[in-house]
Amino acid sequence: MTAWRSKRSARTMAALAATTGVCASLLTGCGMLPGDARADEGTVTVMTWAPEGTRATNMPGMPAMAQAYARWVNATGGINGRTLRVLTCNDHNNSVGAARCADRARTEEAVAVVGSYSQHGRTFMTALESAGIPYLGGYGVTDEEFTSPLSYPVNGGQATLLAGSGHQLADHCERVSLVRPDTVSGDQLPRLLNAGLATAGDRGPAADIRAPEDASAYTEHARRALAGVGLTEDGAGDGVRTAGGTEGGQGGGQDGEAEGACVTAVLGGRTDTFFDSFRRLREGGPGVRIASVLGSVQQSLVDRTGGPDSQWEGAYATGWYPVSSDPRWARMKSVIREHAFGDNRIDAADPGVQTTWIAYTVLRAALEHTEGPVTARTVRRALETMPPVDTGDLTPRLSWRYEDMLAVRDHPRLVNAKVTFQQVRKGTMTPAREGFVDVRDTLETVPDGS
């Protein structure tokens, strides 16, 4: 472990040295090193970006939550007397859009990018590093969010969700199919899920079903998912038994459940489209347990598809945070109610909205810890030296001091490897297990993906 830390530290210092070398040689237009730029002394400028209006995953609630947060703190005197100015940007789910958002953060002299979502980490993180701008509380969907020395993640990203989902399903499933995006980031998901499944000792790897992120139907992928757990679309399968009336069985009145067969899909906004195709394909056959992770399924989706009568009844879900009905979300809900002005982009059960709230909670702590001028450099220094941040028990206390890094291979910036297990019961996302589940040990066993 010590040797690994040394190697990680060397890589980190090398990245910082390279960035510093570029910054030292190319001064910004205002004559200061990257990271030193500031707005007027009474205003702190930050940016939140996310894709909106695309055919794939959209996260409009994240910039909307950022704006509501700014209205709230500014209505109560700002942060240390400073007005919080929030810029928003649509990255359009492509690398060109991500680069434009990062460039705008630089030109507008943002001191941080906060509570954001983008799948194009290689593009935006390089731009932020060259400008010295920290990336605080991204959604956790890219590798760069867990490797860049300028990234400060508040959750464990897709890695913890998939490893945690494997843990959760290992207790209930003998055979699993994983339907996931046919993308570079999607290629990592099977080994993470399989590492979690392996905790049961006798669970084999999940069937890996690649699917497009923007399809309008997934009938063929649903057929392959059934085949992956040993079933055909009419429910038949070699040696597959059915058990009648099991608690939480899927299918809204199916005659039984294919014992040990589970299908999980992680397709973001298209997850329900997949399961709609899946439901039609297996209609009349034995039920198959279904599962996903928060972000691909959430309370609003269960509500609009029938609540307790939806196909989601009994489904398993893995999340980063407590369920949305937990009283620990009361302050966030109050801010939404009083300062979002009915903005229907904000759903308090959306993990993107929740991540943004937590990220801005950390930003506030960092700004309160900052003495003197607020710049990207001083914000980074605060994040790396201030006491662990209390997020109201929505996460463990968060800190990015060297001794707080978890030293998980491929995720050297990881400080929070805890997840929650949830299940849909009577149409409501409820805790399937009390408290957080730590998957750090599982992440340390994930095989190298190279």
Side-chain angles (χ1 to χ4, degrees):
M1 184 66 71
T2 301
W4 185 91
R5 281 188 180 276
S6 297
K7 183 177 180 181
R8 183 194 68 79
S9 180
R11 290 200 305 268
T12 299
M13 292 305 294
L16 283 170
T19 300
T20 303
V22 172
C23 294
S25 61
L26 296 175
L27 298 181
T28 63
C30 58
M32 288 180 287
L33 290 173
D36 281 338
R38 72 187 76 158
D40 65 87
E41 292 188 3
T43 303
V44 174
T45 299
V46 298
M47 175 177 277
T48 297
W49 62 49
E52 300 186 51
T54 75
R55 295 182 61 191
T57 298
N58 295 295
M59 290 286 181
M62 298 181 77
M65 182 70 246
Q67 292 171 323
Y69 189 96
R71 285 192 287 267
W72 172 54
V73 297
N74 292 336
T76 55
I79 303 175
N80 277 359
R82 297 183 176 93
T83 299
L84 181 63
R85 175 183 178 229
V86 172
L87 308 173
T88 63
C89 191
N90 183 354
D91 92 327
H92 297 285
N93 263 329
N94 62 58
S95 59
V96 173
R100 287 175 176 167
C101 288
D103 184 62
R104 185 179 170 211
R106 178 186 61 80
T107 57
E108 295 269 6
E109 299 185 349
V111 301
V113 173
V114 187
S116 297
Y117 180 105
S118 177
Q119 298 186 45
H120 302 281
R122 186 172 300 177
T123 297
F124 73 74
M125 195 60 78
T126 299
L128 294 183
E129 286 175 347
S130 68
I133 300 173
Y135 188 70
L136 170 59
Y139 195 80
V141 74
T142 69
D143 285 346
E144 289 76 11
E145 292 171 69
F146 297 96
T147 57
S148 170
L150 268 65
S151 181
Y152 303 85
V154 299
N155 59 48
Q158 291 277 47
T160 56
L161 289 183
L162 268 292
S165 182
H167 267 272
Q168 189 174 17
L169 296 183
D171 292 337
H172 308 282
C173 310
E174 296 177 8
R175 301 171 306 284
V176 178
S177 284
L178 168 65
V179 184
R180 52 83 171 183
D182 188 10
T183 62
V184 173
S185 59
D187 289 343
Q188 303 178 45
L189 304 188
R191 61 192 180 96
L192 291 162
L193 182 75
N194 291 337
L197 289 171
T199 60
D202 59 348
R203 299 288 187 261
D208 181 16
I209 314 299
R210 302 181 183 188
E213 286 186 293
D214 57 356
S216 58
Y218 290 93
T219 302
E220 179 56 34
H221 304 91
R223 186 174 289 112
R224 288 162 54 199
L226 282 171
V229 293
L231 294 170
T232 61
E233 57 193 88
D234 62 3
D238 294 337
V240 176
R241 297 167 294 164
T242 61
T246 56
E247 180 181 354
Q250 318 304 302
Q254 302 278 349
D255 292 331
E257 182 174 286
E259 186 174 321
C262 298
V263 172
T264 183
V266 183
L267 291 169
R270 295 292 176 172
T271 299
D272 189 51
T273 304
F274 166 78
F275 277 119
D276 189 52
S277 296
F278 186 76
R279 175 186 56 80
R280 291 197 301 269
L281 190 66
R282 66 185 175 85
E283 196 163 11
V288 177
R289 285 189 180 271
I290 65 174
S292 191
V293 297
L294 269 291
S296 289
V297 59
Q298 55 202 49
Q299 186 61 51
S300 58
L301 172 59
V302 177
D303 291 342
R304 71 171 180 263
T305 55
D309 297 320
S310 78
Q311 65 175 328
W312 291 103
E313 182 65 20
Y316 299 114
T318 307
W320 296 304
Y321 314 124
V323 295
S324 61
S325 59
D326 192 286
R328 284 171 282 187
W329 292 111
R331 174 170 285 186
M332 182 190 75
K333 291 178 179 179
S334 175
V335 170
I336 293 171
R337 186 168 55 251
E338 296 174 14
H339 297 277
F341 306 131
D343 190 334
N344 60 14
R345 293 176 297 168
I346 303 179
D347 175 4
D350 178 359
V353 168
Q354 295 169 348
T355 297
T356 303
W357 170 261
I358 292 168
Y360 273 89
T361 300
V362 174
L363 174 72
R364 183 172 191 166
L367 295 178
E368 290 173 345
H369 187 75
T370 301
E371 296 180 0
V374 175
T375 68
R377 188 185 303 276
T378 59
V379 170
R380 296 200 315 269
R381 185 180 302 120
L383 289 169
E384 293 168 3
T385 60
M386 66 185 182
V389 179
D390 181 0
T391 63
D393 293 329
L394 295 170
T395 67
R397 288 179 179 262
L398 298 173
S399 175
W400 294 269
R401 297 173 301 185
Y402 179 79
E403 60 268 27
D404 297 313
M405 300 296 175
L406 298 186
V408 173
R409 186 182 62 197
D410 299 331
H411 295 77
R413 300 293 293 176
L414 186 70
V415 299
N416 176 11
K418 295 185 178 180
V419 297
T420 58
F421 289 171
Q422 303 176 27
Q423 187 176 20
V424 180
R425 295 171 179 157
K426 298 181 179 179
T428 301
M429 303 290 296
T430 59
R433 181 186 297 185
E434 291 300 322
F436 292 101
V437 178
D438 195 335
V439 298
R440 174 183 177 180
D441 290 344
T442 300
L443 291 175
E444 291 177 343
T445 68
V446 175
D448 193 340
S450 61

